[in-house]
Amino acid sequence: MKIDSIIPVSNKGLDKTKEKLSNRDIAKSYKQMDALPNVYQMPISFTRKWSEHTSWGAVINPKTKETIFKILTYPDSKKVIVTVVDSKDETSKKTYELTNMGEGVFATKEPIPAGEVKHGDKYSYTIYKGDGNVDTVKDPYSFRQMKLLGESVVYDHSRYRWRDSFWFNEDKHRISRVANRKNQLTPVSNARIYELNIATLTKDGTYESTKSVLQSIKRIGFNAIEIMPVENTYSFNWGYDGVDKFAPAEHRGGPDQLKELIDYAHSIGLNVIMDMVPNHLGPDGASLKKTGPYIQGQNDFGESFNFEGKNSRYVRDYIVNSALNWLANYHCDGLRLDMTKYMQSDYTMKQIAAEVNYHFPDAFLIAEDSREKISVDDFGNYWDNPGEVHDKRVVNSLLPFEYGESASQEVHCEAIEDICRGKTSLGRLGYDSEWDFNYHHCLEEGLYGVINLDRFEKACYCSQNAVKYVMSHDEIGNREGTRLIAKLMVPMLHLNENIILDENDHRRVHEFASIAKKSMHDAKRSLVMQKAQFVAEHLAIMYQTGKLDRYNTANITNSKRRAELEESFIYDILMPLGIKSSSGVTYDAVKETFMKSFDKNKMALARTYSIPGPKMVFQGDEKADLTPFRFFRQFESVRNEHSMHVEKGYDTGLAAYNESKMGSISYATSAKDLMNKFKRLTKDLNQLNVENPALARGYLLIDSTIKNPDNVFATHAYDPQRKNEVFSVTNFADLKYPRQGAAKYYIQFPQGVWIEKLNTDDKKYGGSGNINGKNEIYSDGSTLTAINLSGSTTAIFARIR
């Protein structure tokens, strides 16, 4: 591909940028182009007219109530007919032949007069293709889809009366990429996100029932909710198998109730981030392949989009417009884009960012990308860097000339229509943040006792602009669906070494080896580890629901009675779960490992909140809830339940769905008290981030990081504008200070006077109470300071002078 074939919209903007570049810079750019031959550095501009963005599908003019239809089909199609069925009289049908606008685009030549097509009418397209085939399809731009494989529904977005004008015009709690001192909006770095799944958050699993939970989310201190995808699918699933990119799931309440949910969230001060899926279509109900050149093949998740192949221009527009739909029609404040690397098109990623930036300057974008080992400089030049834990192109602001000059200017970038898929790369992709897999994995190592502090230090430093979390839906559901506490109990109880496989398990080993193409040894090992997770979950839930209380021998002095209970525990609990009687697992062991896991969970959450930038908690984790989050889905046209059961170890249909619903566990009173203490920790961490800007918009002073060989790790966050400093100490080891034969823990604080603001071992958080309290800590910055520090604890200190 020739570099000079890409013409920027604004030569004026390009000239300004050239003025900033020295000859050395330009030479450096070309040198890197030689090193990476598929890279083109010429700036690319994107800007469609807003009327172009909003011209697709069945669109009712909000003022005149006239209707237009527009669809992309194959370029050689001969004719397209749209058939409209009256919503009040299904025997009444109207047909309209669309005009061939070229390049596979068919549209109404003149608007259809008001009243002929109405809100609620059903419609479909009949496409007469060049090869002689005739197909009737639903609308790719369907705003409402009552039946997954049926007709689309005409939906007039202007009918809904939004009540969030104060939120968008005056509320300073609104998160914005352009937040600054002048507008006083909240920057993305201050985001405290609660990730939720509509289907399982409440018993009813609807947009309407979700509203009942939002006040409690707000009271805990979160300022944003991230909604897992609601793109229309058949029946229940996580949401990542959507096929109607513009229509929210009808079985959750349809478009009006989703708008009401978002409206209500804004009224109580919660930002709304919509999770969208730009990388594939689900396997059930997809008809884009029949409709036009939307699909280029398969990827790991389903049908992948034709973003860079032949006739791809309007396919890119399609996914761009789906992003704009959530912002324009549903008033979302930000978007999270699922697994962007599987889009296999940096060009499309950049086009989404540029169009969103241009038309919605306040809206922010979060990518789930997971690529790494790429660096980028101030001019958008980039190069391979094995030491980079993220791909720095992803979260990197677009240059000014990449936005175009005017929204009234029609711009079409056709230069990449015929290039090979996957060969396009651009210097900057323009996202505001990204999910941080690397931080999670490094933290996970620490939770399991094998932390590499040098690697963890780098992960913390590189995570400051990224969305950090202890667990997301992926780490829970894509494994066994078990929560962190149960996962951590497995090695503590040595369950992997003490699991017994029954006849059904052995049968599944053989099937799994065949399906996963693994050796019998590896298949058996995988299923043993999987079963150990389920067993730990059962033990944790039985402990928290009081079902193990009768085996508690703490207050029993009669040795015979103690022996009887211990034997009963083996026969009643261990053997039915498939745990060896010689495992050494007792009631006391379950209790001890549960509380250790609980402490590690608190430690991890506080450590995550100690790093500047956005944070996220998945539903239930704010209170250490044990409710599983299984992988669940139900399809109409895909029947592979058995193979999924073999892989996952459970029924991924209705049983997994119901098991994953929050509130499905009846906890004992003592458990509820413990969970409330964890929830108080979450609330206090959120408040600590509000009161200390160093933990939000500040940055880590890398020279102040402490990495002690006894697995004590400390970071120093600093906000120069507010002169705010926070020093956070995490003890990844189990050793407690002070303890018998040892003094307090000695650590080098930065210079100043410090006071402890939060300690996860505080009794109010379910700890032992080994804290430092309100005692002022003086440090000259060079001598060691003595503090109380329990094992598996994070203590957070703020400088007061």
Side-chain angles (χ1 to χ4, degrees):
M1 179 179 178
K2 295 181 180 179
I3 293 175
D4 59 7
S5 67
I6 298 176
I7 308 299
V9 148
S10 172
N11 288 324
K12 180 180 178 183
L14 178 59
D15 291 338
K16 286 184 178 179
T17 304
K18 282 183 176 178
E19 291 174 6
K20 301 176 183 177
L21 299 176
S22 66
N23 290 334
R24 176 183 292 180
D25 294 323
I26 296 172
K28 180 181 178 183
S29 175
Y30 278 97
K31 182 178 180 182
Q32 286 168 353
M33 285 164 54
D34 291 338
L36 298 171
N38 292 322
V39 176
Y40 52 83
Q41 298 294 120
M42 182 67 84
I44 302 173
S45 297
F46 309 94
T47 306
R48 302 277 192 263
K49 286 182 180 179
W50 185 244
S51 59
E52 165 69 9
H53 286 300
T54 58
S55 65
W56 295 90
V59 182
I60 297 179
N61 187 303
K63 294 181 180 179
T64 66
K65 298 304 177 183
E66 296 172 320
T67 304
I68 60 172
F69 288 95
K70 185 177 177 182
I71 187 174
L72 170 67
T73 182
Y74 290 100
D76 63 350
S77 293
K78 305 300 182 182
K79 182 171 65 173
V80 176
I81 302 290
V82 60
T83 301
V84 180
V85 179
D86 194 295
S87 59
K88 296 180 180 178
D89 180 8
E90 293 196 357
T91 63
S92 175
K93 297 183 180 181
K94 303 182 183 71
T95 60
Y96 303 90
E97 182 172 350
L98 304 185
T99 301
N100 188 342
M101 313 298 286
E103 299 182 87
V105 177
F106 285 76
T108 46
K109 190 171 185 179
E110 298 293 336
I112 299 169
E116 283 193 32
V117 177
K118 306 179 301 300
H119 174 85
D121 287 351
K122 298 176 182 178
Y123 69 102
S124 59
Y125 296 102
T126 301
I127 304 171
Y128 296 79
K129 298 178 179 176
D131 60 5
N133 287 325
V134 179
D135 285 311
T136 298
V137 298
K138 61 183 178 180
D139 190 351
Y141 278 84
S142 175
F143 292 128
R144 189 172 191 183
Q145 196 67 35
M146 303 289 283
K147 293 183 179 179
L148 190 66
L149 296 172
E151 299 158 305
S152 301
V153 178
V154 177
Y155 181 82
D156 183 0
H157 277 290
S158 68
R159 286 168 59 96
Y160 184 82
R161 295 292 177 257
W162 288 93
R163 302 178 297 276
D164 57 3
S165 59
F166 178 83
W167 173 257
F168 281 103
N169 296 320
E170 299 183 54
D171 201 317
K172 306 306 180 188
H173 295 99
R174 186 160 59 89
I175 298 173
S176 170
R177 71 151 57 89
V178 296
N180 55 47
R181 283 186 172 184
K182 186 175 181 180
N183 60 37
Q184 295 184 9
L185 294 172
T186 301
V188 177
S189 61
N190 291 39
R192 302 179 302 280
I193 304 167
Y194 188 89
E195 186 192 12
L196 60 87
N197 174 260
I198 296 288
T200 57
L201 183 66
T202 63
K203 179 181 179 181
D204 292 340
T206 63
Y207 306 132
E208 179 63 27
S209 63
T210 299
K211 288 161 60 176
S212 65
V213 184
L214 296 191
Q215 281 284 8
S216 63
I217 293 172
K218 174 67 176 178
R219 282 195 295 269
I220 299 172
F222 294 99
N223 63 358
I225 57 172
E226 181 177 303
I227 302 175
M228 287 175 65
V230 298
E231 298 170 6
N232 197 44
T233 62
Y234 174 77
S235 192
F236 55 83
N237 64 51
W238 276 12
Y240 294 97
D241 287 310
V243 291
D244 297 311
K245 295 295 180 181
F246 294 77
E250 192 67 28
H251 53 276
R252 302 291 166 216
D256 283 351
Q257 286 194 14
L258 178 58
K259 290 179 180 181
E260 289 172 7
L261 168 62
I262 295 170
D263 222 350
Y264 178 69
H266 288 163
S267 74
I268 64 172
L270 284 173
N271 291 267
V272 177
I273 304 166
M274 183 58 72
D275 196 345
M276 61 172 286
V277 187
N279 54 56
H280 79 288
L281 287 174
D284 195 40
S287 60
L288 287 184
K289 190 182 293 184
K290 291 197 324 183
T291 305
Y294 295 90
I295 304 303
Q296 60 108 17
Q298 294 284 129
N299 61 23
D300 291 348
F301 305 108
E303 291 181 345
S304 59
F305 288 104
N306 172 34
F307 286 139
E308 295 189 4
K310 192 174 182 180
N311 305 311
S312 61
R313 166 189 164 189
Y314 292 113
V315 181
R316 293 192 300 277
D317 285 0
Y318 173 73
I319 212 68
V320 168
N321 292 339
S322 73
L324 296 174
N325 172 60
W326 298 118
L327 300 173
N329 294 321
Y330 291 91
H331 286 206
C332 294
D333 304 282
L335 301 174
R336 182 261 192 189
L337 280 72
D338 178 65
M339 269 301 174
T340 49
K341 75 174 180 180
Y342 287 107
M343 293 171 66
Q344 298 180 305
S345 176
D346 288 352
Y347 188 94
T348 308
M349 281 187 69
K350 190 171 188 176
Q351 185 171 345
I352 292 171
E355 293 283 14
V356 168
N357 283 204
Y358 188 84
H359 293 291
F360 293 90
D362 286 347
F364 57 97
L365 296 173
I366 299 170
E368 183 193 24
D369 196 83
S370 82
R371 287 178 292 184
E372 55 188 26
K373 300 179 181 176
I374 297 292
S375 290
V376 66
D377 65 15
D378 290 341
F379 302 104
N381 304 309
Y382 62 94
W383 58 94
D384 292 323
N385 182 357
E388 198 67 74
V389 299
H390 299 114
D391 183 338
K392 288 297 183 184
R393 297 173 306 153
V394 177
V395 183
N396 200 278
S397 297
L398 295 173
L399 295 173
F401 53 70
E402 291 168 334
Y403 297 100
E405 284 190 309
S406 170
S408 65
Q409 186 176 18
E410 188 76 48
V411 178
H412 298 304
C413 300
E414 303 181 29
I416 70 160
E417 290 297 321
D418 298 316
I419 66 174
C420 297
R421 177 178 63 82
K423 299 298 184 182
T424 316
S425 297
L426 297 102
R428 299 180 177 209
L429 304 185
Y431 289 71
D432 301 285
S433 189
E434 65 177 314
W435 272 28
D436 197 335
F437 293 149
N438 183 68
Y439 171 78
H440 163 78
H441 292 312
C442 289
L443 175 66
E444 189 176 47
E445 289 179 356
L447 291 170
Y448 286 103
V450 290
I451 193 166
N452 181 317
L453 290 182
D454 288 332
R455 189 160 62 240
F456 187 64
E457 175 191 27
K458 187 169 187 177
C460 291
Y461 181 77
C462 293
S463 186
Q464 294 176 82
N465 193 44
V467 176
K468 296 162 286 295
Y469 49 85
V470 179
M471 301 286 281
S472 73
H473 72 272
D474 277 329
E475 287 74 32
I476 301 170
N478 278 336
R479 297 180 186 177
E480 295 78 22
T482 60
R483 300 284 181 153
L484 179 59
I485 285 178
K487 294 180 190 299
L488 294 175
M489 289 174 67
V490 171
M492 294 183 196
L493 292 172
H494 304 287
L495 290 179
N496 287 331
E497 298 87 359
N498 287 288
I499 287 296
I500 302 170
L501 297 183
D502 60 24
E503 184 178 341
N504 289 331
D505 294 327
H506 282 293
R507 187 181 303 115
R508 196 160 68 89
V509 168
H510 283 270
E511 291 184 278
F512 183 63
S514 174
I515 292 172
K517 295 180 171 51
K518 290 177 176 284
S519 68
M520 287 295 294
H521 176 271
D522 289 344
K524 182 178 180 180
R525 181 174 178 271
S526 295
L527 296 195
V528 165
M529 294 172 65
Q530 186 185 78
K531 187 172 182 178
Q533 295 283 350
F534 293 136
V535 167
E537 180 182 67
H538 279 295
L539 290 172
I541 291 175
M542 284 192 287
Y543 174 75
Q544 283 290 74
T545 54
K547 293 179 180 178
L548 298 184
D549 289 353
R550 65 181 295 264
Y551 304 100
N552 185 358
T553 61
N555 297 319
I556 297 176
T557 57
N558 185 298
S559 58
K560 182 179 179 180
R561 177 58 180 155
R562 289 175 64 91
E564 289 175 348
L565 285 176
E566 289 169 358
E567 186 176 6
S568 295
F569 188 82
I570 291 173
Y571 284 99
D572 298 344
I573 304 299
L574 301 188
M575 292 181 68
L577 289 176
I579 305 175
K580 295 177 183 177
S581 59
S582 59
S583 65
V585 176
T586 63
Y587 171 86
D588 288 341
V590 171
K591 178 181 179 180
E592 179 184 359
T593 55
F594 180 91
M595 291 309 302
K596 282 186 176 181
S597 298
F598 186 81
D599 290 341
K600 285 176 177 286
N601 207 338
K602 292 187 296 177
M603 172 197 74
L605 185 64
R607 166 42 56 194
T608 302
Y609 267 76
S610 298
I611 304 168
K615 291 93 178 173
M616 186 184 73
V617 172
F618 181 65
Q619 66 182 36
D621 283 350
E622 79 281 2
K623 56 183 178 181
D625 199 306
L626 294 172
T627 303
F629 187 69
R630 307 278 192 238
F631 179 81
F632 57 85
R633 67 182 188 182
Q634 185 180 54
F635 292 139
E636 185 176 50
S637 59
V638 178
R639 300 296 179 192
N640 61 350
E641 289 90 346
H642 180 69
S643 62
M644 285 297 298
H645 181 272
V646 170
E647 176 188 343
K648 296 291 186 180
Y650 56 82
D651 175 11
T652 56
L654 189 60
Y657 172 45
N658 288 331
E659 195 178 9
S660 301
K661 283 185 175 290
M662 300 299 298
S664 59
I665 299 175
S666 298
Y667 291 102
T669 302
S670 59
K672 291 178 182 177
D673 179 62
L674 192 62
M675 291 165 68
N676 283 332
K677 289 177 178 177
F678 196 101
K679 185 161 67 173
R680 181 172 182 178
L681 171 65
T682 304
K683 181 177 181 179
D684 288 353
L685 284 168
N686 278 323
Q687 186 61 32
L688 198 65
N689 270 247
V690 172
E691 296 172 351
N692 293 273
L695 298 179
R697 65 184 75 191
Y699 56 88
L700 294 179
L701 296 175
I702 201 69
D703 291 339
S704 300
T705 302
I706 292 174
K707 301 172 291 182
N708 287 344
D710 52 4
N711 283 349
V712 171
F713 179 82
T715 53
H716 181 191
Y718 175 59
D719 175 35
Q721 293 183 359
R722 305 289 180 87
K723 306 298 182 185
N724 177 240
E725 298 182 54
V726 175
F727 187 64
S728 305
V729 183
T730 298
N731 183 4
F732 284 101
D734 289 332
L735 294 179
K736 178 180 179 180
Y737 301 88
R739 58 192 175 90
Q740 188 175 3
K744 293 188 176 186
Y745 193 82
Y746 285 85
I747 192 168
Q748 184 178 312
F749 272 70
Q751 185 177 6
V753 181
W754 302 81
I755 192 167
E756 189 175 68
K757 288 291 186 179
L758 184 145
N759 191 313
T760 59
D761 197 41
D762 199 317
K763 288 183 177 179
K764 63 184 178 184
Y765 306 137
S768 69
N770 183 39
I771 63 176
N772 297 282
K774 298 185 181 300
N775 298 321
E776 293 185 353
I777 297 174
Y778 298 83
S779 173
D780 60 7
S782 59
T783 57
L784 298 179
T785 302
I787 60 172
N788 294 335
L789 186 65
S790 289
S792 301
T793 292
T794 295
I796 302 176
F797 303 84
R799 181 175 176 174
I800 56 176
R801 61 182 183 273

